[in-house]
DNA sequence: GTACATTTCAAACAAGTGTTTTAATTTAGT
DNA sequence: ACTAAATTAAAACACTTGTTTGAAATGTAC
């Protein structure tokens, strides 16, 4: 037997694709099982419920990505040299692009899914993520604080969430954006190109000087 | 008879609140009509369909906001002086905050709805917006281009969408963010405060210098 | 090959959805 | 006050959703 894909994997692959393009709420189990060419009941048999299927789809990527990120963060924290913001943000690039190895269109799909996960959110995904990977996130925040010693913690909080918005939104609507860019500017940017445009934008925003306005409000 | 609120308004008020907190897809007409204390069929009678109700909820704000913005943009375009980015972005502040006059928690609700509208999007809202307010949007893009003459149009395209992501995401999760900020930093920031933190962040990101990386990808 | 556990399958289930229908009621015009 | 239009009301409709059931099929160990 060559290259036997299990029922679980067929479901995960189909679900991933449909969730990314249609969202979690607007994708039915019947769509998923039909595309995966498995029986409807297989989802509940193998994953328990739709909610657990959603988590499994994300977990397939997160379980690879997050330990890698954690390791990179720890390494940067250990090296005592002064890290600038661009360097800290660039840590994401390699681990993210390596997701293409776990699945065919790994990076793009995963980021799009992550976008969906944060916007469709009813709560359980947010909890799931913080519960499993909160420690890793803390290391990242610490690195940003070290790179921006002049910014108060509250300001960094807001700016990191602003940045999260940029990333999440860009990735959730990545496909549409790339199509527009291709049509309007004859630009064929892969996901890698978007990431490289993103980092200087984010770095400039996060490190922007404190203004009088932002202090008095 | 004093202060008679029509059925339509009762529906709009309830729908607005539920859409903002639960999203469009996850809010049922029965929830809406029950909160509004009107008959279920009233939605289809007065608005035609759920889809049209969603558009009406947004339209109540957009029909006030967009003409005001359009006027401000035209005014800036007419004045021949060199506009810097912060000035262009600041144009949004006053018209946005004036939405509080059309409804009690106007600005916050509207921005949260707008966030939902762009993330839940199945397409019809995006079309609706571009169809009605595309011209106004073009003026804004022109102003940004004038403020950043060194940036190619394609780069501006990407950075404006990055910024859109920040705004949309921040507003969609505005309530949660304010609660966290209040708990962690003893900060009680109103919507106005968030906007004033947002503008320098966005301005710095949009105007960030071109790097080698962003040019070669 | 028999026995046991795992997996697949078709069908039904219970609950929820947006929408339509038909009749009752209220409102407005003359 | 009468008539006609606009609005409200309760009920049913047609459909989709996630989940469960119980029997058939498949795989595995002895």
């Amino acid at each position: 037997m060559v290259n036997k894909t299990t029922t679980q994997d067929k479901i995960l692959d189909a679900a991933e694709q449909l969730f990314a393009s249609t969202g979690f709420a607007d994708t039915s189990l019947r769509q998923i099982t039909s595309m995966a060419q498995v029986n409807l009941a297989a989802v509940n048999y193998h994953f328990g419920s739709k909610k657990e299927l959603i988590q499994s789809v994300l977990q397939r990527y997160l379980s690879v990505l997050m330990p890698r990120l954690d390791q990179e963060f720890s390494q940067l924290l250990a090296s005592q040299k002064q890290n600038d913001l661009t360097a800290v943000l660039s840590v994401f690039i390699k681990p993210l692009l390596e997701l293409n190895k776990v699945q065919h269109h790994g990076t793009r799909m995963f980021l799009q899914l992550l976008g969906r996960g944060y916007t469709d959110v009813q709560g359980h995904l947010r909890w799931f993520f913080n519960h499993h990977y909160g420690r890793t996130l803390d290391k990242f925040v610490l690195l940003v604080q070290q790179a921006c010693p002049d910014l108060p913690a509250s300001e960094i909080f807001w700016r990191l969430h602003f940045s999260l918005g940029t990333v999440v939104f860009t990735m959730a609507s990545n496909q549409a954006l790339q199509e527009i860019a291709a049509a309007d500017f004859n630009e064929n940017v892969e996901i890698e190109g978007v990431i490289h445009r993103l980092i200087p934008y984010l770095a400039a925003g996060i490190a922007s000087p404190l203004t009088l306005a932002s202090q008095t409000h």
Side-chain angles (χ1 to χ4, degrees), chain A residues 179-192:
Chain A
E179 283 167 13
I180 299 174
D184 287 10
F185 306 108
N186 269 7
E187 278 200 7
N188 217 326
V189 215
E190 285 299 308
I191 182 73
E192 194 171 349

Side-chain angles (χ1 to χ4, degrees), chain A residues 91-103:
Chain A
V91 160
F92 284 91
I93 299 179
K94 236 192 338 177
L96 264 180
L97 292 179
E98 277 186 0
L99 289 183
N100 287 328
K101 291 174 186 165
V102 5
Q103 277 296 107

Side-chain angles (χ1 to χ4, degrees), chain A residues 55 121 123-132:
Chain A
Q55 295 179 356
V121 82
H124 75 101
L125 272 180
R126 209 151 188 158
W127 182 93
F128 177 80
F129 186 82
N130 282 332
H131 182 258
H132 285 295

Side-chain angles (χ1 to χ4, degrees), chain A residues 10 108 150 160:
Chain A
K10 285 196 276 187
R108 182 152 55 85
D150 295 335
L160 282 183

Side-chain angles (χ1 to χ4, degrees), chain A residues 34-143:
Chain A
S34 144
M35 169 180 267
Q37 303 202 60
V38 302
N39 189 272
L40 168 63
V43 170
N44 295 67
Y45 177 77
H46 286 288
F47 298 94
S49 66
K50 184 182 181 181
K51 198 180 277 188
E52 290 168 275
L53 172 61
I54 295 175
Q55 295 179 356
S56 298
V57 169
L58 283 173
Q59 185 66 348
R60 186 158 62 153
Y61 290 110
L62 289 175
S63 64
V64 174
L65 174 67
M66 295 309 288
R68 284 237 31 188
L69 282 180
D70 193 271
Q71 178 191 330
E72 300 270 1
F73 292 153
S74 299
Q75 207 167 317
L76 270 191
L77 280 174
S79 82
Q80 288 297 6
K81 69 173 173 201
Q82 179 75 351
N83 296 306
D84 76 322
L85 203 48
T86 304
V88 174
L89 295 179
S90 298
V91 160
F92 284 91
I93 299 179
K94 236 192 338 177
L96 264 180
L97 292 179
E98 277 186 0
L99 289 183
N100 287 328
K101 291 174 186 165
V102 5
Q103 277 296 107
H104 187 36
H105 289 112
T107 306
R108 182 152 55 85
M109 279 296 182
F110 166 70
L111 287 173
Q112 205 161 333
L113 280 170
L114 203 66
R116 294 280 182 194
Y118 256 86
T119 51
D120 282 26
V121 82
Q122 282 107 355
H124 75 101
L125 272 180
R126 209 151 188 158
W127 182 93
F128 177 80
F129 186 82
N130 282 332
H131 182 258
H132 285 295
Y133 305 113
R135 302 291 174 82
T136 301
L137 214 69
D138 290 340
K139 292 184 186 173
F140 171 67
V141 173
L142 196 58
L143 279 169

